[in-house]
Amino acid sequence: MFELGQVRKVFSDGSVAVDEITLTVGPGEQVAFIGPSGAGKTTLFRLLNLTLRPTSGLLRLGGVEVSILSDFELRQARRRIGTIYQQHNLVGRLRVVHNVLAGNLGRWSTLKAFASLVRPQEIAMARQALGQVGIPEKLSARTDELSGGQQQRVAIARVLVQDPDVILADEPVSSVDPSLALSIVTLLRDLSRESGKTLLMNLHSVALALAHFPRIIGIRDGRVLFDLAPDKISDELLGALYAGHAEEEIQAERFNELLADSGVCRPLPK
């Protein structure tokens, strides 16, 4: 699904966010990315969802070199990738049905998109997607009146309507409590497994990553520090990944303690 060869991203101020990353992700894989803040994970996801272009290196989507795509082909390629953000990126004043149906914007005409704002088109599709994420009763609710967890589920439903080949979830649970974080991660993992969609997720919680993903990639200073199955990741590797980020380690450890207390997954090794 993705092939990266020595991908590098340098911003205009000279800062290197991604530094010669090489990796391959197959169709249907479920991969968690972990690492300290500022490690380059979000920039890497922006490269993967084709909103940023690499400064150098090879990036292929489905075997096709992204750099040679025309603007039209690039827009078509982006439709294959659905992104879920920490901030949800929803329009709060609109009803839930409108935000969910926004997943169709890549294939609807401009006229149909405007018409749907007046009278929602394909309501059954939105209702089905909301049913998949467990909140079908919120179809007509105003979006900004929902809880943070419900809004995240609306964002997931929007991606389901988009029906991409790949789901990129960038810190989708960092702003919710541990029990809700577990339910959202489990929901995305199950949806990926049932549909065969590739799932890549940035996670602040090491415990969630280790407990729920078969492949873990550790990112530090824009580079891949390790790419391993969870049972191969040692305390030493985790220590090297988060070295010098004491405050983040403390926050992650507290989150892990809450998860361990609830009995849902094992905590970050000490």
Side-chain angles (χ1 to χ4, degrees), residues 2 4 7-9 11 17-23 25 31 33-34 39-52 54 59 168 170 200 202 217-219 222-224:
F2 285 111
L4 287 74
V7 167
R8 201 164 190 261
K9 181 61 184 179
F11 288 109
V18 171
D19 194 6
E20 297 189 351
I21 284 184
T22 295
L23 61 88
V25 177
V31 186
F33 292 76
I34 61 174
K41 303 187 303 296
T42 293
T43 299
L44 176 59
F45 268 41
R46 291 182 66 193
L47 291 167
L48 293 175
N49 71 11
L50 312 184
T51 57
L52 283 180
L59 172 58
L168 300 180
D170 187 16
L200 307 183
N202 275 339
I217 297 178
I219 303 289
R223 293 177 173 266
V224 173

Side-chain angles (χ1 to χ4, degrees), residues 1-7 21-31 33 43-52 54 58-66 69 74 77-83 162 164-169 197-201 215 217 227:
M1 185 59 68
F2 285 111
E3 181 184 352
L4 287 74
Q6 295 185 310
V7 167
I21 284 184
T22 295
L23 61 88
T24 301
V25 177
E29 273 202 86
Q30 299 181 347
V31 186
F33 292 76
T43 299
L44 176 59
F45 268 41
R46 291 182 66 193
L47 291 167
L48 293 175
N49 71 11
L50 312 184
T51 57
L52 283 180
L58 172 76
L59 172 58
R60 288 191 177 124
L61 171 65
V64 177
E65 169 57 52
V66 172
L69 297 179
L74 190 60
R78 286 173 180 155
R79 294 179 188 176
R80 301 179 60 189
I81 304 164
T83 306
Q162 181 183 341
D165 298 322
V166 182
I167 297 174
L168 300 180
K197 298 183 189 302
T198 304
L199 175 64
L200 307 183
M201 190 180 298
R215 180 182 176 189
I217 297 178
D227 182 351

Side-chain angles (χ1 to χ4, degrees), residues 164-259:
D165 298 322
V166 182
I167 297 174
L168 300 180
D170 187 16
E171 297 285 3
V173 297
S174 60
S175 59
V176 300
D177 63 73
S179 61
L180 184 55
L182 173 66
S183 67
I184 290 174
V185 169
T186 301
L187 172 63
L188 285 168
R189 185 199 61 195
D190 291 346
L191 289 171
S192 165
R193 182 182 296 119
E194 292 164 5
S195 64
K197 298 183 189 302
T198 304
L199 175 64
L200 307 183
M201 190 180 298
N202 275 339
L203 281 172
H204 181 71
S205 169
V206 176
L208 278 176
L210 294 178
H212 296 284
F213 284 84
R215 180 182 176 189
I216 313 292
I217 297 178
I219 303 289
R220 181 183 174 92
D221 298 327
R223 293 177 173 266
V224 173
L225 186 64
F226 57 79
D227 182 351
L228 296 167
D231 60 347
K232 302 297 183 183
I233 298 174
S234 65
D235 296 2
E236 290 75 18
L237 277 177
L238 290 172
L241 184 65
Y242 289 97
H245 292 263
E247 182 178 349
E248 183 162 336
E249 288 182 30
I250 291 170
Q251 293 173 347
E253 185 169 338
R254 176 56 183 152
F255 194 95
N256 294 334
E257 287 174 355
L258 292 169
L259 286 168

Side-chain angles (χ1 to χ4, degrees), residues 50 53 64-79:
L50 312 184
R53 289 183 180 268
V64 177
E65 169 57 52
V66 172
S67 65
I68 67 172
L69 297 179
S70 66
D71 289 343
F72 173 77
E73 291 170 332
L74 190 60
R75 287 193 297 271
Q76 293 292 110
R78 286 173 180 155
R79 294 179 188 176

